[in-house]
């Protein structure tokens, strides 16, 4: 799935869960653009990935399969 579509799905699921990327940024005391960059796949942060996943009752590996795929 293209990164932009995946990002939009994450935002939609967060809204349905009563949250947002901006709320996560505020909770973690980071810039909203940092959380957006992680969601879009432009950068990595295990802490931010974990926070997004927790809001969606998922694991980071469930949300970002390509990031957490086991390399053989």
């Amino acid at each position: 799935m293209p990164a932009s579509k995946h990002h939009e799905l994450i935002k939609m699921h967060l809204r349905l869960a009563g949250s947002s990327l901006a709320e996560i940024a505020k909770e973690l005391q980071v810039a909203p653009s940092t959380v957006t960059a992680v969601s879009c796949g432009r950068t990595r942060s295990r802490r931010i990935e974990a926070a997004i996943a927790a809001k969606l009752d998922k694991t980071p590996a469930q949300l970002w399969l390509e990031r957490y795929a086991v390399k053989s």
Side-chain angles (χ1 to χ4, degrees), residues 9-10 12 14-16 18-19 22 24-26 28 37 39 45 47-49 55-56 58-60 65 67-69:
L9 284 172
I10 288 173
M12 178 192 71
L14 283 170
R15 282 191 302 274
L16 291 172
S19 190
I24 292 169
K26 186 175 182 179
L28 298 178
S39 177
S45 166
R47 182 171 76 110
I48 293 172
E49 289 171 4
K55 290 285 185 182
L56 299 177
K58 304 268 185 204
T59 66
L65 298 173
R67 294 183 191 180
Y68 289 86

Side-chain angles (χ1 to χ4, degrees), residues 15-64:
R15 282 191 302 274
L16 291 172
S19 190
S20 68
L21 294 175
E23 182 177 307
I24 292 169
K26 186 175 182 179
E27 289 172 2
L28 298 178
Q29 297 181 340
V30 298
S33 60
T34 304
V35 178
T36 297
V38 171
S39 177
C40 289
R42 289 192 305 265
T43 189
R44 298 265 327 249
S45 166
R46 291 195 184 262
R47 182 171 76 110
I48 293 172
E49 289 171 4
I52 293 170
K55 290 285 185 182
L56 299 177
D57 199 27
K58 304 268 185 204
T59 66
Q62 290 173 307
L63 289 180
W64 293 281

Side-chain angles (χ1 to χ4, degrees), residues 1-10 63 66:
M1 172 182 317
S4 61
K5 185 174 182 179
H6 188 254
H7 170 66
E8 291 300 324
L9 284 172
I10 288 173
L63 289 180
E66 68 286 351

